[in-house]
Amino acid sequence: MTVAIGIVGCAGRMGRMVIQEILATEGCVVAGGTEAPGGPIVSDLGSLVGTDPLGVTVGDDPLALFSCSDAVIDFTVPAATRVHAEAAEKTGTAYVVGTTGLTPEDQAVIASAAHKAPVVQAPNFSVGVNLLFALTKQVAEKLGTDYDIEVLEMHHRHKVDAPSGTALGIGQAAAAGRDVSLDDVARFAREGQTGPREIGEIGFATLRGGGVIGDHTVMFSNEAERLELTHKASSRGIFAGGAVRAAAWLQGKDPGLYGMSDVLGLD
Ligand code: NAD
């Protein structure tokens, strides 16, 4: 069976990687792509990735794209992702969401779509990072609150949200390991007279610069030792590969909100 995959935000950094990944994946074809109205003017998706024309033009109508696709992959911006989730809900088309920086309201629109369409959402589609989530939970479970947990991330200068969705995912995994809610223990910033660190808090630090694709470290420190788990991405291809794998995995699945641990069989 051939899976026809649509790409919203197809001219973006991730959108282009997804086109390349689909072209390199047997059993998958490009169904089409959209960009923001008034966005880059490109006639054919092939020209976005330097290949021969694919005979597929870039549009700006998400509903039309969802209607002609077996799955749609979304790496865009939160406002656009809300519109795309509504299109998934209307059409029932399998939907893969990678956009980060979503508000609880955006998240509610995706949850609603998942009642009508099978959806995979992940803050990070790489196999390595999903293993890091699992390891973080396991270590947090084993080490008590005597160990302070800090999550450090660095990304390229163009990234618009902080901390990264992946850093939040690591924080959620650590909180789950301790059987607490991240909302209750997260410390997102420190400046000035902060006072001593509170027992049990999970701290975040964000660095931005250059072309770094994505580095994440979680540290567990007590007075005597420090355990660090680190992941460094060196190609956006790892995210695109995971997203295309998720799009294929969703075929024939019931509506619902799935994660990469389901796709990778990690649970
Ligand atoms: P980018 O700015 O290069 O690309 C975003 C694209 O979306 C742009 O081309 C933009 O024109 C387009 N867009 C905006 N509004 C649109 C609309 N209404 N309809 C269609 N297209 C629209 O950004 P990027 O680096 O590709 O990242 C995109 C998102 O993906 C970010 O939130 C980023 O954090 C996230 N991301 C997630 C993962 C993951 O594994 N989950 C990996 C990398 C990036």
Side-chain angles (χ1 to χ4, degrees), residues 138-158:
Q138 206 181 333
V139 174
E141 245 164 26
K142 298 274 182 226
L143 303 178
T145 50
D146 174 41
Y147 287 78
D148 301 324
I149 303 178
E150 296 282 311
V151 183
L152 175 67
E153 59 109 334
M154 180 164 186
H155 279 84
H156 54 87
R157 59 168 69 122
H158 305 289

Side-chain angles (χ1 to χ4, degrees), residues 26-37:
E26 207 175 316
C28 294
V29 295
V30 174
T34 63
E35 257 301 326

Side-chain angles (χ1 to χ4, degrees), residues 7-16 34-37 39-40 59-60 62 74-81 83-84 97-101 121-126 155-156 158-161 164-166 213 236 238-240:
I7 310 115
V8 287
C10 59
R13 278 178 289 267
M14 279 307 301
R16 289 166 198 250
T34 63
E35 257 301 326
D60 62 6
D74 183 349
F75 290 95
T76 60
V77 293
T81 290
V83 175
H84 300 146
V97 195
T99 309
T100 61
Q121 183 182 20
N124 193 304
F125 283 94
S126 95
H155 279 84
H156 54 87
H158 305 289
K159 187 161 177 62
V160 294
D161 55 309
S164 69
T166 303
I213 290 174
R236 286 187 176 82
I238 53 168
F239 311 130

